[in-house]
Amino acid sequence: MELQDHIEQVEHICQWIENEEEYLGKLKEYLPAMNQSIGDILSWAQNPEIPFDINIQFVLQVLRDIVYGVEHGDSVFLLDTLRYGLLVIYEYTAQELKGEE
């Protein structure tokens, strides 16, 4: 899955949350792909051959916040975390890696 696909998937989940539709199942389905993408992002950040830097503490906090939002069923908190956390990570990463091509 490309970063743009991840961005679109998270945007869809955000729309489901905003529209008060069932989102938790879709989010849980997406979590393995998210874990893979975050693992890739962290690997890129640690690879000296790739000039890419990201605030790892921010990434980890976003992951903790997603877990919190899912565990507590807090859709407002989860929406903010997805929109202003995970999407920011994906969009920043896509922009930075595109600049390196």
Side-chain angles (χ1 to χ4, degrees), residues 13 16-17 21-28 69 73-75 78:
I13 293 168
W16 290 322
I17 294 171
E21 297 176 29
E22 167 50 40
Y23 67 89
L24 206 50
K26 297 290 185 184
L27 178 59
K28 287 181 179 180
D74 189 335
S75 61
L78 201 48

Side-chain angles (χ1 to χ4, degrees), residues 41-42 45-46 53-62 64:
I41 290 169
L42 294 176
Q46 294 177 350
D53 191 32
I54 194 164
N55 184 332
I56 293 174
Q57 292 305 312
F58 176 73
V59 173
L60 295 177
Q61 185 60 52
V62 168
R64 284 191 289 268

Side-chain angles (χ1 to χ4, degrees), residues 38-50:
I38 294 296
D40 291 344
I41 290 169
L42 294 176
S43 292
W44 296 328
Q46 294 177 350
N47 185 341
E49 295 178 14
I50 301 174

Side-chain angles (χ1 to χ4, degrees), residues 41-97:
I41 290 169
L42 294 176
S43 292
W44 296 328
Q46 294 177 350
N47 185 341
E49 295 178 14
I50 301 174
F52 170 71
D53 191 32
I54 194 164
N55 184 332
I56 293 174
Q57 292 305 312
F58 176 73
V59 173
L60 295 177
Q61 185 60 52
V62 168
L63 294 177
R64 284 191 289 268
D65 288 350
I66 290 170
V67 169
Y68 176 90
V70 169
E71 286 178 346
H72 291 87
D74 189 335
S75 61
V76 174
F77 184 80
L78 201 48
L79 180 61
D80 283 350
T81 301
L82 293 174
R83 183 164 285 144
Y84 305 112
L86 190 57
L87 280 176
V88 168
I89 292 167
Y90 285 161
E91 289 167 352
Y92 170 79
T93 302
Q95 179 182 6
E96 289 295 304
L97 294 180

Side-chain angles (χ1 to χ4, degrees), residues 10-22:
V10 174
E11 287 173 343
H12 286 286
I13 293 168
C14 289
Q15 289 172 353
W16 290 322
I17 294 171
E18 285 180 327
N19 295 334
E20 298 181 7
E21 297 176 29
E22 167 50 40

